[in-house]
Amino acid sequence: MSSIKKGMEITWEKLFKLGGTIGDIEGMPFVEAFRQFQFKAKRENFCNIHVSLVPQPNATGEQKTKPTQNSVRALRGLGLSPDLIVCRSTKPIEMAVKEKISMFCHVEPEQVICIHDVSSTYRVPILLEEQGIIKYFKERLSLPIDDQPSHLLFKWKKIADRYERMLKSCSVALVGKYTKLSDCYTSVFKALEHSAIAINHKLDLMYIDSADLEPAMEAENPVRFHQAWQKLCKADCILVPGGFGQRGTEGKLQAISWARKKKKPFLGICLGMQLAVLEFARNSLNWQDANSTEFDPSTKNPVIIDMPEHNPGDMGGTMRLGKRKTMFKTEDSLLRKLYSNEAFVEERHRHRYEVNPELIHFFEDKGLKFVGHDIEGKRMEIIELDDHPYFIGVQFHPEFSSRPMKPSPAYLGLLLAATGSLSTYLQHGCKLSPSDSYSDLSEEGFPEKETSLTG
């Protein structure tokens, strides 16, 4: 309520009558921005879609339209008129309810789109298409779209059917310190899910709080400690995502060490890659005091160091951000093969610390290869471990470029290794089974979307 102007007394009852929430009040500046933007963009380039909940109280079982009516009225009062009203509900909305919304919200019935709860989010685009949303956009925005359903839509229907028929599962242990807020790893979860669907497996994602793996937890809470390790041991593969700060790093190092020694498929993202290098330095190179300057600025053995991008000392200008090129140093790289043998990849970055380039030869002599560099060859981007089924770390964030029909190569490789099918996949030229024709990686992929994973 702190953002509401002084003198405006708003109760929950008033908000319900408006069909809104506190978030709507706080979002007023964005509504005003859209109101002004519609005139700059012109009507032929601007389409306003209003999403509203149609509740169905258990007491009456009747689908209520009043919140939608009131929220549309409030929106119009702020200078915006919806072109489409998307109604969310637990069950399919009855035609009479749809017509009522159309009448009292001053839109045509075809402008009322109903999205009820479905078996998976992959069903939602199909629901939208069935209600003519593509045809509406074509006419409303004069888009060059064919009237007939596209190949992409046929593929999407296959992926939706496939998602519900999968019988096998693949378990992934995600070891992080934000596991109580799983939304922090939404992009990682989706990238894993895209890859799991591609190999026809259900994703069994197990969140493990890295602090629970640390020796201190064994003394503090033995049950949590042993439960965490039990999860880690039974997982088919291990993933350590990005993050900042020292808390929980000891547990991540323990998980990485276990994956390396037990030859369990492993993928380290950003900080996960840095910790993989740090773990190797301590346990394979016997540099017991090896550390990152992020955790110990005065460490005598700085394996991970701060390499400022712009202004040293200015925390707001030292991060390496955005899409950047990573050049493959050698052709004999597992990840390069997964990227269809491209000479370089472009992925998004978000980090401040880097592997110390002066120490690279010590690691490579012991089998930890730095197979990917930045275009200047100063920043280490990709690591691979010899004599391991899949031990890869990347400084970038490949999850940001993963798509349902075009999974990230790094994540796909992890799950292929976890299910014992990586060798077969590589032998077939990084092609999936012909039956997996929904994916751009299948042998029946359409020519315009050939199997490139980087385009």
Side-chain angles (χ1 to χ4, degrees):
M1 299 293 289
S2 59
S3 63
I4 299 174
K5 291 182 179 179
K6 185 176 181 181
M8 288 181 62
E9 296 183 359
I10 299 181
T11 65
W12 287 106
E13 289 77 10
K14 289 181 180 178
L15 286 169
F16 178 76
K17 289 178 181 178
L18 284 172
T21 65
I22 291 293
D24 295 326
I25 303 300
E26 294 178 341
M28 290 299 183
F30 297 99
V31 174
E32 175 59 20
F34 275 115
R35 187 193 70 79
Q36 295 181 28
F37 179 72
Q38 66 182 329
F39 300 114
K40 294 181 180 180
K42 307 299 182 184
R43 175 173 170 74
E44 61 270 21
N45 300 316
F46 183 88
C47 188
N48 180 14
I49 303 174
H50 180 63
V51 181
S52 177
L53 176 66
V54 178
Q56 188 171 359
N58 292 330
T60 62
E62 180 184 357
Q63 293 174 326
K64 300 293 185 180
T65 65
K66 189 62 71 176
T68 301
Q69 295 178 45
N70 288 335
S71 62
V72 169
R73 187 182 301 115
L75 189 66
R76 284 204 170 97
L78 295 169
L80 284 169
S81 294
D83 294 289
L84 288 174
I85 299 176
V86 177
C87 299
R88 281 287 290 114
S89 61
T90 55
K91 297 180 180 179
I93 291 178
E94 300 171 2
M95 183 55 67
V97 174
K98 181 176 180 177
E99 292 173 349
K100 186 176 181 181
I101 292 172
S102 167
M103 179 182 297
F104 288 101
C105 293
H106 309 289
V107 295
E108 296 294 330
E110 58 266 23
Q111 292 174 261
V112 180
I113 306 295
C114 306
I115 303 295
H116 59 271
D117 290 353
V118 287
S119 54
S120 77
T121 54
Y122 298 105
R123 290 286 177 196
V124 175
I126 300 172
L127 274 180
L128 292 171
E129 191 275 334
E130 289 174 348
Q131 297 179 69
I133 197 169
I134 295 178
K135 180 181 178 182
Y136 177 82
F137 282 141
K138 177 185 177 181
E139 297 174 354
R140 172 67 178 75
L141 300 174
S142 300
L143 298 177
I145 302 174
D146 294 333
D147 290 330
Q148 297 298 321
S150 66
H151 289 312
L152 183 61
L153 187 59
F154 284 124
K155 286 184 176 183
W156 195 270
K157 288 179 178 178
K158 286 185 177 182
I159 195 175
D161 293 338
R162 178 191 189 87
Y163 182 81
E164 295 166 8
R165 291 200 305 260
M166 294 181 294
L167 299 176
K168 300 177 182 178
S169 64
C170 179
S171 59
V172 181
L174 190 154
V175 182
K177 65 178 182 180
Y178 310 120
T179 53
K180 292 182 176 63
L181 299 171
S182 57
D183 283 354
C184 295
Y185 299 116
T186 296
S187 297
V188 172
F189 166 72
K190 285 300 179 183
L192 288 168
E193 187 176 69
H194 299 161
S195 296
I197 295 172
I199 64 171
N200 204 23
H201 280 66
K202 291 180 181 178
L203 175 64
D204 178 15
L205 183 58
M206 301 182 292
Y207 292 101
I208 300 177
D209 191 323
S210 56
D212 292 346
L213 298 172
E214 297 175 357
M217 183 57 68
E218 184 175 17
E220 179 183 337
N221 192 328
V223 174
R224 283 181 59 178
F225 175 81
H226 289 293
Q227 286 177 341
W229 273 101
Q230 187 178 35
K231 278 186 181 181
L232 188 75
C233 292
K234 75 176 184 179
D236 295 318
C237 58
I238 297 169
L239 187 148
V240 176
F244 294 92
Q246 186 172 8
R247 182 178 66 83
T249 55
E250 183 59 36
K252 294 178 184 179
L253 288 167
Q254 293 281 346
I256 294 168
S257 181
W258 191 87
R260 180 178 62 83
K261 294 174 181 177
K262 299 295 183 181
K263 298 190 182 300
K264 186 71 70 172
F266 164 80
L267 176 63
I269 306 295
C270 196
L271 178 62
M273 168 187 151
Q274 296 173 10
L275 292 176
V277 175
L278 194 57
E279 187 278 332
F280 194 87
R282 291 180 181 179
N283 298 321
S284 292
L285 301 181
N286 295 317
W287 298 351
Q288 298 300 322
D289 57 346
N291 214 330
S292 167
T293 56
E294 179 182 6
F295 311 141
D296 182 7
S298 60
T299 178
K300 295 180 180 179
N301 203 341
V303 172
I304 309 297
I305 61 174
D306 184 6
M307 295 177 67
E309 188 74 2
H310 298 295
N311 304 313
D314 181 5
M315 295 299 282
T318 60
M319 290 194 74
R320 187 169 170 79
L321 295 169
K323 181 185 283 189
R324 296 171 183 268
K325 280 187 179 181
T326 294
M327 314 299 296
F328 283 105
K329 180 183 175 183
T330 173
E331 294 184 3
D332 186 24
S333 162
L334 176 56
L335 194 57
R336 180 172 182 169
K337 293 175 184 177
L338 290 169
Y339 273 100
S340 298
N341 283 311
E342 297 287 345
F344 67 88
V345 296
E346 290 186 295
E347 297 281 9
R348 285 167 58 184
H349 294 66
R350 189 176 185 274
H351 65 277
R352 182 173 290 112
Y353 293 85
E354 314 266 356
V355 177
N356 190 339
E358 296 180 1
L359 305 177
I360 300 307
H361 62 282
F362 291 108
F363 292 92
E364 295 199 325
D365 289 345
K366 287 289 188 177
L368 186 67
K369 307 297 185 183
F370 292 85
V371 300
H373 299 171
D374 70 336
I375 56 176
E376 297 176 350
K378 295 180 179 179
R379 291 177 165 85
M380 304 300 110
E381 298 277 358
I382 305 171
I383 62 168
E384 293 182 7
L385 183 63
D386 288 345
D387 193 28
H388 195 288
Y390 195 88
F391 192 97
I392 288 178
V394 293
Q395 187 61 73
F396 46 81
H397 291 265
E399 63 270 17
F400 293 152
S401 60
S402 183
R403 298 294 181 267
M405 284 177 268
K406 200 173 186 180
S408 162
Y411 285 88
L412 180 64
L414 176 69
L415 296 198
L416 284 168
T419 55
S421 47
L422 179 58
S423 297
T424 303
Y425 179 74
L426 294 174
Q427 289 170 6
H428 284 78
C430 293
K431 301 271 191 178
L432 295 172
S433 165
S435 63
D436 304 333
S437 55
Y438 82 87
S439 172
D440 295 342
L441 307 180
S442 66
E443 295 184 27
E444 293 183 359
F446 294 96
E448 71 273 14
K449 287 187 179 286
E450 199 58 42
T451 58
S452 170
L453 287 170
T454 58

